[in-house]
Structures are given as structure tokens and as C-alpha cells.
Amino acid sequence: MEMKPLTRAVLGLICLLVGIWLVAPTIVVAPMSFNGVKSLAFPPRGFSWQWYENFVTSPDWSSSFFNSLKIACLVAILATVLGTLAAFGLDRMRARPANLIRMLLLTPMVVPGVVLAIGIYAVYLDARLVGTLTGFVLAHTILALPFVLIAVSANLEVFDKRLETAAASLGAGALTTFRTVTLPLIAPGMLSGLLFAFATSFDEIIVSLFITNPYLRTLPVQIFASITRDADPTVAAVGTILLCVTTVLIGGGMLLLGRERRGRS
Amino acid sequence: MTTKASNRGAAIEIRSITKTYGDFRALDDVSLHVEPGEFMTLLGPSGSGKTTTLNVVAGFTDLTSGTLLVGGKNVVGVPAHKRNIGVVFQHYALFPHMTVGRNVAYPLTLRGVGKAEREARVLRALDMVKMRDFAHRYPSELSGGQQQRVALARAIVFDPPVLLMDEPLGALDKKLREWLQLEIKRIHRELGTTFIYVTHDQEEALVLSDRIAVFNRGRIEQVGTGRELYDEPSTLFVGRFIGDSTVLRGGARSDGTGTALKIADETVTTPRRLSGDVTPVMLLRPEKLSIRRPGQPAAGQNRLSGRIAEAIYLGSGSKYEVALGDGSLAIVRSSLTDESFKIGEQVDLWFDGADAKLLADDASAETTLT
């Protein structure tokens, strides 16, 4: 049915408002990062690159950035390996127990972050993992693993297992089959899981706030600490960088998943 | 390639193999001997055990008991990838991330064949299935028939002594299927490889095979050439499964001179007799029955009256379904020169008793077919 012009206009307006509402916080950050004065007031006054300079030159900021990078890389690898193995195991199990275990593995996505953080903190105090690289990697992997599991499982669902039978008939053993047939065909799922895992760790704040200490800070923790201390527009500069990085990663991950789905339909 | 064709195939000896899933006997004491270079078709309805047998030979399915020899060697317990047996699947199973050329080269790469020889053999295999020009395409760019031809090239490129095909034409339309049947027959002739072919389509089995093994409920009912199965079925199931047939059932009486059946109020006789405690039924092929208008001269020793229930024009002739006095249907074929009959018309069917096969009744023969 054809829409009336008035209906169309009202609908368009509502969509626009909701759209602005959703992206407004993001839009505010970028201009603030170019503020000419040391203030977080909006709209910013003047223009300068100084907060980006400060981010690059200040040891507090750069060390936290490299901490985050290091942790996120390790988490991405660990979560991808474990998540892929889990996805494989669940794919080849009987449906009932598999669904149960799948739900269990996905709980970190549902459980409130604060609850997880308290639990992890309590354990880490005893285990002396607070403020350690190992501690961060282990904690973030818990949160990142579900993303890999979902991405690889989606890929395995459309993977034709009969191709493995065919490979066997042509002379390929189990390992060769995995390397030459299975792995190339589920690689898009693994890569998209890897990107999601990296992004999850890179911008994680709740658990990180609990298990951080002055010797090991991640970038989000540094932002939070900085903004509670003073109104330093460097946080806006860092925020803008984070925004760009995660947009590229998540966008890439979604693209990979989407292409995989379309390719098989 | 064709020079030493005759000694390329391997014999297959299946000795009383059984495969059970819980209480279900998928294969129940199946034995079958396949000659080197023979084209053997496993024919039967779905769930009859033909695909399970193929999977056992391929090594995809373990045996519960029994022995399996390929080329004289016991291969029970040998994993599929070490059996050197080619397999073509109904669903093609081409690797979607590889080009046609790399798909066909795959088994050669695994066997460490050098680049130059590999390329030559890939092209030769693609030539054989007439797909040479498609080496750089991806499977998704090919039609079903083309994909299956590539799959066939991939399964023969490493010169396996045995090729297994699991309903390879099942997903294709009729015209393409008929053309590919002839292609498969030609390739079998050129290679001399032992072929085991699974299908539920009896016409396909008749076109392709040297011999056919008819499967029913996890057992082999009969093994023989198409002609043997058609002319001399050893069980009612085989008679019903291969070709069209009319089955006559009715109060049977046997004596020294033969057997008589009572169909409604008419009696038909045959000089044949069955031994043992079984209920005999008569099986008649359509061409053994003559159709006449009532009152016309006799065209055989036995007469059955009936009414045309269905008339099907086939181009080369007509096929009639005739409802007999007891309600059962007889199938008759007549050539174009014969007169034609209309639905509802009263007719007489004539046949010689010697042309009727006398078989033991088996209620399951009808239920498994439908």
C-alpha cells in the first residue's frame, strides 16, 4: 500500500530523532578531542591536535595503550583457539548435552559484568592475579570466548561434513582433511570471532577496573582514572581512536559473517 | 589408458557381512562377489541396505561382522583414506574453495605426484568427462550435471581399482540423467575399473549394469543380469521391483500336472509347481498378456475378463491397466498396430500358462514397494 505523504514525513522524522539519539554520544566525543582549551565542555572552543600529541607522548597513556594491545592480542588468540575447539566439540555431540554446554559457555554474555567482576576479583586476590598480564588475559578470555563460539558455530552449521567423507575417499587422513578442507572453509568464522574477541578485550572496563592495579592499567581503565581526576580532553582523543579501531574490527567481523551466510544460501 | 584396461579392476568379495544399529539390522548376512572390471548395481528401495553396503566397501561404515576382500586383500579395519577406492556421491561433494582443476588434482597431491604429471593426469581425467575447458572455474559456477562430471573425474584421476557411485544421478533431471548414464557406461568401458553403483531406479540399473544385486530389508534377494532378473525372478519382490508386472492371487490348487489359481469365478492354470509350504502366486510380464475384445478368438490357454481402468498412451504403443474380477489390476502393453481401448470397456486378457512365473507369495513385496 502506498504511504500518505504526511505519514511518510512523520515516520522519517521519528527515525531521524532515534538515529541522532543513538549516535549522539559518539558524535560528541570526536569534536571534543580537537578542543583548543583544557576542558570537556561541549561544544569545544578552538582547534588543536595537542590531546593526540599528549596521548602519544605521555608514558601513562602510551603504556596503557600497549598493555591493552598486548592483552587483546593474547585474548584474541586464546579465545579463538578455545572457542573453535569448543564449537567443534559441540557440533559433533548429541544435540541435548551440546545445547546444555553451549548455554553454559555463553553465560558470560548474560551474567551482569559487575557480578562476574566481583567473582573474578575474589578469586584473583587469593591467586595473586590482580594487576597481572595472566590475570587480565584469563578474565577477558572468559568474556571473549562466547563471541568466537557463536561465530564458528554459525560457520560449522553451514559446513558440509560430507566433504570430509569425500576427502577421506580421496586419500586424506583426519589431520590432512582438517588442514586442507575443514579449516579453509571455517576460516571466515574463526577470523570474525578473532576480531570480536580482540574488540571485546580492547574496550573491556568493568572487570578490568576490579583487577587493575597501578602497575598494570589498560586503556579503558586509564581513561576512567583520568576523567575522575580532572577534565583532560586526552580521554576524548583516546576515545576517538578506540572508536575508529573497534568500528573497523567489528565492521570487518560482521562483514565476514554476512558474506559467509550469503555465500551459502 | 585403454591398453591395459582389462586387468585394471579389482575383484570384491563380500562374505556374510552384517551391520546392526541397536536392534535394527541394516545388513543381514549379505554376501556378494563382484568380478574385476564388472559393473555391479546395488538396486533396492530406500533403507534396503544398498547404501550401507557401499559405505562398508568404501570404509565409511564399520562392520558388525563379516569379511570384505578387495583385490584379494582383507580390508576390514582399514580406514577409508587408505583403501584407494574412488567414490562419487549423490551430492557431488566438490570442495567449494578449490577450482575444478585443484579439486581433481587433490587426490594426486595427497599421493605426492609431481607437478608435471599431476597436470597431465588432471587434464586427461577432465577430458574423459568432457570438462577440460572448466579447469579454472569454481564448483559454484557449474550446473549439477557439470559438478557431477567433475566429481567423477576426481574419483578416477588416481586410477583406483574400484569406483563406488552412490545414486550419482539422483539429483538431476531425466534427460540429463539418461545422457550421463551413457557417459558413465562409456567411461566404465574405457577404464576397465570395477564399478559398484547404487540406485533405486530399476531402469537405470538395467541400462548400466553387467549384473544387478536386488536388495530388500537388509538382504540380497537375487543377483543376476537384467535379463535374468526380468525373465526369471526368484522372489516376488524381485519380480515386482524390476519392470512392470501383474500378480495373480487366488485359491491355489496344485497336482501332478501343475497349479491352478481361481481369480473371482475364473480359473487359470500353469504347468509349473512350487514345492514346500508356500502360497503360490502368478507373475506375468505385460508383453506376455494379450488384450482382446470379448468374443474375439482365443489368444492363449488362459482367459481373464476385466474392464479397462486406465489407458496410457506411450508414443510407441499404449499401456492399459485392467481391473480383474477380484479387483486386482493387470498391466498390459499393446503396440500401435493393435486396436485401442477406452476406459470402462470390457476386455479379455489371454496368456499361456508356461509364460507365467510361479512364485511364493510375500506380503512384504507389496508394502516395501510403495
Side-chain angles (χ1 to χ4, degrees):
Chain A
M1 208 170 67
E2 210 39 39
M3 243 191 273
K4 283 183 186 152
L6 182 68
T7 321
R8 186 186 285 275
V10 171
L11 184 66
L13 190 69
I14 292 173
C15 288
L16 186 71
L17 283 174
V18 173
I20 290 173
W21 177 33
L22 289 180
V23 298
T26 317
I27 292 171
V28 165
V29 172
M32 280 203 308
S33 68
F34 298 105
N35 210 333
V37 295
K38 184 167 178 161
S39 149
L40 278 173
F42 190 81
R45 273 172 295 160
F47 179 87
S48 80
W49 284 99
Q50 58 176 309
W51 312 114
Y52 286 91
E53 256 176 63
N54 187 37
F55 168 66
V56 180
T57 51
S58 146
D60 269 2
W61 284 108
S62 53
S63 75
S64 64
F65 172 79
F66 283 113
N67 285 338
S68 272
L69 195 66
K70 197 159 48 181
I71 291 165
C73 284
L74 290 169
V75 167
I77 293 166
L78 188 61
T80 302
V81 170
L82 291 178
T84 302
L85 291 176
F88 257 95
L90 294 177
D91 189 58
R92 267 130 226 239
M93 271 173 77
R94 275 179 299 126
R96 220 175 244 279
N99 283 336
L100 212 73
I101 297 175
R102 191 183 301 275
M103 269 162 56
L104 201 75
L105 286 170
L106 294 182
T107 44
M109 291 182 91
V110 191
V111 174
V114 171
V115 176
L116 265 180
I118 295 169
I120 291 171
Y121 182 62
V123 175
Y124 275 20
L125 277 180
D126 275 351
R128 296 172 179 276
L129 283 169
V130 174
T132 64
L133 186 72
T134 319
F136 269 95
V137 170
L138 290 179
H140 285 180
T141 301
I142 296 173
L143 299 165
L145 199 122
F147 291 99
V148 179
L149 184 64
I150 288 171
V152 178
S153 292
N155 213 161
L156 279 175
E157 237 161 69
V158 294
F159 172 73
D160 187 353
K161 284 181 209 47
R162 297 175 299 191
L163 293 178
E164 294 179 340
T165 313
S169 80
L170 296 169
L175 260 174
T176 312
T177 302
F178 183 77
R179 192 170 49 78
T180 56
V181 176
T182 317
L183 198 61
L185 288 172
I186 61 154
M190 286 175 67
L191 191 58
S192 109
L194 184 104
L195 295 179
F196 278 109
F198 183 91
T200 302
S201 165
F202 200 67
D203 67 5
E204 206 289 324
I205 175 77
I206 305 175
V207 175
S208 302
L209 274 179
F210 279 74
I211 61 172
T212 193
N213 70 4
Y215 303 107
L216 188 62
R217 272 184 179 173
T218 59
L219 200 53
V221 172
Q222 176 64 24
I223 292 175
F224 188 75
S226 160
I227 207 156
T228 47
R229 206 169 48 235
D230 55 17
D232 183 355
T234 308
V235 297
V238 179
T240 308
I241 293 170
L242 265 178
L243 177 70
C244 293
V245 171
T246 45
T247 304
V248 168
L249 290 182
I250 300 291
M254 305 251 269
L255 218 66
L256 279 171
L257 268 188
R259 202 180 61 180
E260 193 57 27
R261 293 230 173 92
R262 267 200 311 280
R264 299 302 173 87
S265 58
Chain B
M1 263 179 127
T2 47
T3 46
K4 35 178 190 170
S6 55
N7 49 23
R8 284 273 297 285
I12 294 168
E13 185 73 45
I14 295 170
R15 283 192 202 140
S16 57
I17 57 171
T18 295
K19 175 67 188 176
T20 55
Y21 296 99
D23 286 340
F24 177 65
R25 296 178 91 80
L27 288 179
D28 190 2
D29 193 23
V30 166
S31 294
L32 181 66
H33 175 79
V34 186
E35 295 286 336
E38 190 175 24
F39 198 123
M40 172 67 79
T41 295
L42 313 184
L43 176 68
S46 56
S48 59
K50 56 192 194 303
T51 297
T52 309
T53 304
L54 192 90
N55 286 339
V56 164
V57 176
F60 304 148
T61 302
D62 289 333
L63 283 174
T64 307
S65 68
T67 313
L68 172 64
L69 305 177
V70 177
K73 286 199 199 81
N74 188 354
V75 296
V76 175
V78 177
H81 70 275
K82 288 188 178 148
R83 290 200 184 181
N84 203 35
I85 290 176
V87 185
V88 177
F89 303 87
Q90 180 178 1
H91 49 88
Y92 322 135
L94 294 176
F95 304 128
H97 59 299
M98 298 181 193
T99 60
V100 164
R102 283 192 53 214
N103 261 285
V104 179
Y106 186 82
L108 299 179
T109 314
L110 291 175
R111 286 165 175 77
V113 175
K115 190 165 188 279
E117 193 197 337
R118 198 167 67 217
E119 279 171 6
R121 284 171 73 174
V122 166
L123 284 180
R124 211 160 44 185
L126 286 175
D127 261 342
M128 186 156 256
V129 298
K130 298 178 180 155
M131 288 295 289
R132 191 192 184 111
D133 298 338
F134 295 82
H136 297 290
R137 303 271 195 96
Y138 280 89
S140 57
E141 300 168 317
L142 304 180
S143 72
Q146 290 172 329
Q147 289 189 51
Q148 195 56 297
R149 280 192 278 157
V150 174
L152 181 56
R154 188 179 64 175
I156 60 175
V157 73
F158 57 101
D159 293 334
V162 177
L163 183 70
L164 309 177
M165 305 180 95
D166 187 5
E167 309 229 7
L169 310 180
L172 305 173
D173 62 54
K174 192 167 162 45
K175 271 265 175 282
L176 188 57
R177 209 160 60 218
E178 286 173 355
W179 179 68
L180 279 174
Q181 282 169 9
L182 297 179
E183 288 288 296
I184 289 171
K185 223 172 144 74
R186 171 181 63 82
I187 289 166
H188 172 250
R189 212 165 37 235
E190 289 179 18
L191 288 179
T193 306
T194 309
F195 275 38
I196 299 186
Y197 191 100
V198 163
T199 184
H200 63 266
D201 180 345
Q202 50 99 12
E203 279 180 42
E204 190 164 285
L206 292 173
V207 168
L208 290 171
S209 325
D210 294 326
R211 286 194 302 154
I212 300 169
V214 182
F215 277 73
N216 183 29
R217 293 183 298 170
R219 290 172 160 274
I220 292 181
E221 297 250 338
Q222 190 177 356
V223 186
T225 64
R227 182 179 294 273
E228 283 166 4
L229 298 179
Y230 188 82
D231 291 343
E232 299 294 332
S234 61
T235 67
L236 183 59
F237 178 84
V238 173
R240 296 288 283 143
F241 203 81
I242 308 276
D244 284 332
S245 56
T246 300
V247 177
L248 300 177
R249 286 188 174 85
R253 264 185 309 104
S254 290
D255 57 28
T257 58
T259 306
L261 296 187
K262 206 161 154 44
I263 315 298
D265 51 358
E266 293 162 312
T267 303
V268 290
T269 57
T270 168
R272 299 168 195 270
R273 275 190 309 156
L274 283 188
S275 57
D277 183 24
V278 290
T279 311
V281 297
M282 284 186 195
L283 183 120
L284 283 153
R285 294 303 183 185
E287 64 277 5
K288 304 291 187 195
L289 283 165
S290 303
I291 185 165
R292 295 284 184 272
R293 292 215 155 77
Q296 286 183 317
Q301 301 155 345
N302 293 301
R303 186 180 68 104
L304 285 167
S305 55
R307 208 171 31 74
I308 303 280
E310 189 68 79
I312 302 153
Y313 177 66
L314 294 171
S316 55
S318 291
K319 190 164 117 175
Y320 297 103
E321 287 182 14
V322 179
L324 301 177
D326 65 350
S328 64
L329 282 180
I331 295 173
V332 193
R333 218 173 280 136
S334 76
S335 66
L336 265 186
T337 50
D338 297 344
E339 36 191 338
S340 62
F341 301 87
K342 290 191 187 63
I343 292 177
E345 210 175 320
Q346 196 70 31
V347 292
D348 285 343
L349 300 181
W350 296 89
F351 67 94
D352 282 340
D355 287 337
K357 290 298 303 172
L358 203 59
L359 298 165
D361 201 3
D362 174 10
S364 78
E366 309 295 327
T367 53
T368 348
L369 285 174
T370 46

